[in-house]
Amino acid sequence: MINTRFEAYKIKRELKRSGIDYEFKRKKKNDFGEPTGDPEVFGSLKGIYHEQNSNIQVTTGDTTQVRTKKIPMILCLYEDTAHLALVVGDTVTINAKTFKVTGVVNIQEWNLISDISLEVVDSGVPA
């Protein structure tokens, strides 16, 4: 049996020590449900940024090329993500880069820890 209270304590302690506050933005919607104007801050949470590795394989004839792709994520408490009600398309800025939320995962279905998947927003303008 897993002691979920202890697991929650470990995450809270690590967030207190190493966590960073992230502000999430969302575009307002008009009467027809269409996004309007610039995104506005609707909430923040404390989390730890990390990246997950993913492999992409391209097979051509006899050869296979494997490329590693990084998936940016924020580890945080489930209660914070539930309170914010994050949806796909919300944005967060980290180190002058804008990221779009692509999903929120309830780790182990314990309702204690969440992992927010992100994707870099490419503006098409060279840095």
Side-chain angles (χ1 to χ4, degrees), residues 5-72:
R5 286 184 31 212
F6 181 62
E7 297 299 323
Y9 169 74
K10 289 192 298 186
I11 293 295
K12 287 178 185 176
R13 185 183 65 210
E14 191 61 32
L15 286 172
K16 190 180 235 185
R17 187 174 73 85
S18 304
I20 297 172
D21 287 323
Y22 295 100
E23 287 187 338
F24 288 86
K25 297 179 182 178
R26 183 181 295 160
K27 287 188 176 184
K28 294 254 185 199
K29 295 191 177 187
N30 63 13
D31 295 338
F32 302 103
E34 300 165 331
T36 59
D38 292 330
E40 296 178 2
V41 174
F42 70 91
S44 67
L45 57 77
K46 187 171 279 224
I48 298 173
Y49 177 85
H50 66 102
E51 293 175 338
Q52 181 179 356
N53 291 327
S54 172
N55 293 326
I56 300 171
Q57 293 184 354
V58 178
T59 305
T60 50
D62 295 339
T63 62
T64 301
Q65 297 176 349
V66 178
R67 193 179 89 175
T68 302
K69 179 182 175 185
K70 301 277 187 181
I71 300 171

Side-chain angles (χ1 to χ4, degrees), residues 11 15 45-48 50 73-83 86 103-117:
I11 293 295
L15 286 172
L45 57 77
K46 187 171 279 224
I48 298 173
H50 66 102
M73 302 177 113
I74 297 175
L75 184 75
C76 58
L77 293 174
Y78 177 81
E79 61 193 32
D80 292 342
T81 55
H83 175 71
L86 290 172
V104 180
V105 176
N106 180 4
I107 297 185
Q108 293 291 104
E109 295 298 325
W110 287 342
N111 296 340
L112 296 175
I113 309 163
S114 287
D115 221 358
I116 303 169
S117 299

